[in-house]
């Protein structure tokens, strides 16, 4: 296979068998698929044209994904970035032709996200020609996952599946489950950090949180709450244990949210279903903050979730297609 752009290679996942009934859907950068399909759709429908500028908020991964899509399709890209955007991401954005506007430092995630949204609204008021991608609210970000769902079904067949992964903006696990359910039954298990409003854990603080990308401090319109059957909430320590075990046991070097998904996937395994968990990025960003602390990892067999009670280090609840909590509704 020959690719026409690096985005194709970066966004194409690998399906790795970890056990007869357990698979890792491993991406180098998962959101590349979502951003590229969204930009293609906007160009195809005439919502934007080559040379136009798009803008969005990001803590890093989506920023690079959108910059790659704009590089490929001839659009200008402006990112209102979180305080957590690191130096490698900043350099990539600049060399891809995107501009980065970083928000002032804040220890409050909700304030950081709110500031970014407020700044985008200021930019739109000053220049109505800008197109706001709205990765958290526009369902065009689901489109890129159809091809992934088709690949998973081609490899695994119409067998009943359990799909496990971070919820985040709602497009990844939500999109995969949506398209997979067209060809067979899927039990959808979402993974969240404590402190996220999306499934109502904002009252439980995790002082070591580093997995904010799979949760949110503000409501997201793209999350289809009724699509989820089970929710797991994992703290930093539990996710660290998961990602260290994933590398030690299966040689998969992945990000912290992958560790949380692996932990949940092991718990949800059932003889009646094949389990697939999503690993959205590599572990390079977490070398010092996570992997250098591998001695703190707890054997996964020593961990079990609190059932129907939100408490560190790990909780689980049968969501059973319930609607969004009041605090998670994007009015």
């Amino acid at each position: 296979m020959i690719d026409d752009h690096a985005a194709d290679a970066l966004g194409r996942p690998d399906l790795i068998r970890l056990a007869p009934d357990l698979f890792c859907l491993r991406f180098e950068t998962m959101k590349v698929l979502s951003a590229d399909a969204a930009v293609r759709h906007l160009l195809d429908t005439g919502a934007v044209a080559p040379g136009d500028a798009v803008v969005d908020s990001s803590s890093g991964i989506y920023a690079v994904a959108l910059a790659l899509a704009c590089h490929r399709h001839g659009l200008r890209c402006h990112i209102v970035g979180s305080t957590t955007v690191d130096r490698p991401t900043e350099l990539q954005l600049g060399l891809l032709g995107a501009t980065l506007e970083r928000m002032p430092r804040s220890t409050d995630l909700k304030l950081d996200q709110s500031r970014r949204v407020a700044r985008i609204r200021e930019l739109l008021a000053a220049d109505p020609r800008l197109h706001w991608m709205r990765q958290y609210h526009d369902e065009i970000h689901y489109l890129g996952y159809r091809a992934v769902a088709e690949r998973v079904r081609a490899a695994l067949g119409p067998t009943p599946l359990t799909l496990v992964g971070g919820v985040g903006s709602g497009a990844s696990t939500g999109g995969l489950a949506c398209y997979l359910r067209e060809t067979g039954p899927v039990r959808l298990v979402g993974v969240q950090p404590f402190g996220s409003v999306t499934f109502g854990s904002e009252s439980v603080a995790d002082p070591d949180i580093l997995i904010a990308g799979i949760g949110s401090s503000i409501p997201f319109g793209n999350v289809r709450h009724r699509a989820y059957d089970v929710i797991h909430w994992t703290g930093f320590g539990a996710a660290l244990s998961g990602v260290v075990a994933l590398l030690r046991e299966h040689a998969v070097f992945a990000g912290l949210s992958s560790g949380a998904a692996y932990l949940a996937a092991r718990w949800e395994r059932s003889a009646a279903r094949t389990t697939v968990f999503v690993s959205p990025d590599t572990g390079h960003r977490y070398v010092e903050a996570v992997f250098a602390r591998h001695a703190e990892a707890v054997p996964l067999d020593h961990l079990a979730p609190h059932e129907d009670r939100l408490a560190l280090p790990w909780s689980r609840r049968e969501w059973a297609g319930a609607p969004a909590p009041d605090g998670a509704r994007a009015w």
Side-chain angles (χ1 to χ4, degrees), residues 11-309:
R12 185 184 303 114
D14 303 305
L15 191 61
I16 304 172
R17 188 196 306 271
L18 307 187
D21 62 343
L22 179 63
F23 293 81
C24 174
L25 186 62
R26 178 196 173 275
F27 292 84
E28 184 166 344
T29 308
M30 182 179 67
K31 288 190 176 182
V32 169
L33 284 173
S34 180
D36 193 72
V39 167
R40 284 178 185 269
H41 178 78
L42 292 173
L43 287 165
D44 289 345
T45 58
V48 299
D52 286 352
V54 299
V55 62
D56 212 344
S57 161
S58 175
S59 59
I61 293 177
Y62 181 78
V64 174
L66 184 59
L68 282 164
C70 290
H71 180 275
R72 179 180 201 169
H73 298 290
L75 297 172
R76 292 177 292 127
C77 177
H78 183 72
I79 300 296
V80 178
S82 168
T83 60
T84 60
V85 174
D86 58 21
R87 181 65 171 160
T89 299
E90 181 181 7
L91 290 171
Q92 285 184 75
L93 292 174
L95 291 170
L96 286 168
T99 54
L100 171 65
E101 181 179 350
R102 195 193 301 267
M103 288 292 97
R105 286 202 168 274
S106 171
T107 57
D108 185 330
L109 178 61
K110 185 171 184 177
L111 179 60
D112 180 56
Q113 287 186 314
S114 298
R115 279 176 172 171
R116 284 185 270 150
V117 172
R119 177 55 183 154
I120 287 175
R121 294 191 186 282
E122 291 176 358
L123 293 170
L124 292 171
D127 185 358
R129 295 170 299 174
L130 286 173
H131 182 88
W132 185 9
M133 293 298 297
R134 302 176 78 243
Q135 65 151 322
Y136 304 134
H137 305 293
D138 194 329
E139 291 191 357
I140 60 172
H141 291 91
Y142 276 62
L143 299 174
Y145 296 106
R146 177 177 287 280
V148 181
E150 291 172 351
R151 182 177 181 185
V152 170
R153 280 297 184 200
L156 301 181
T159 181
L161 296 177
T162 295
L163 177 67
V164 183
V167 178
S169 68
S172 57
T173 48
L176 280 168
C178 173
Y179 297 127
L180 284 168
R181 282 170 171 162
E182 293 179 355
T183 52
V186 176
R187 180 170 170 82
L188 180 56
V189 180
V191 179
Q192 285 270 276
F194 289 100
S196 171
V197 305
T198 308
F199 286 87
S201 70
E202 62 268 31
S203 63
V204 182
D206 180 358
D208 296 318
I209 187 169
L210 283 177
I211 48 176
I214 61 172
S216 177
S217 62
I218 59 175
F220 287 170
N222 267 347
V223 179
R224 298 175 182 173
H225 291 78
R226 292 186 182 275
Y228 291 84
D229 299 289
V230 178
I231 299 296
H232 285 249
W233 294 266
T234 56
F236 172 78
L240 179 149
S241 298
V243 79
V244 168
L246 185 59
L247 181 56
R248 280 178 170 156
E249 297 168 9
H250 302 291
V252 176
F253 182 52
L256 194 57
S257 62
S258 301
Y262 177 51
L263 185 70
R266 290 174 84 258
W267 190 264
E268 296 295 331
R269 285 173 70 184
S270 162
R273 291 173 178 266
T274 297
T275 300
V276 178
F277 72 93
V278 178
S279 175
D281 60 359
T282 66
H284 296 87
R285 294 196 304 157
Y286 299 96
V287 168
E288 293 301 327
V290 176
F291 290 99
R293 298 170 60 177
H294 61 85
E296 301 173 28
V298 176
L300 299 192
D301 290 341
H302 294 184
L303 294 171
H306 300 284
E307 291 284 350
D308 296 320
R309 179 170 68 89

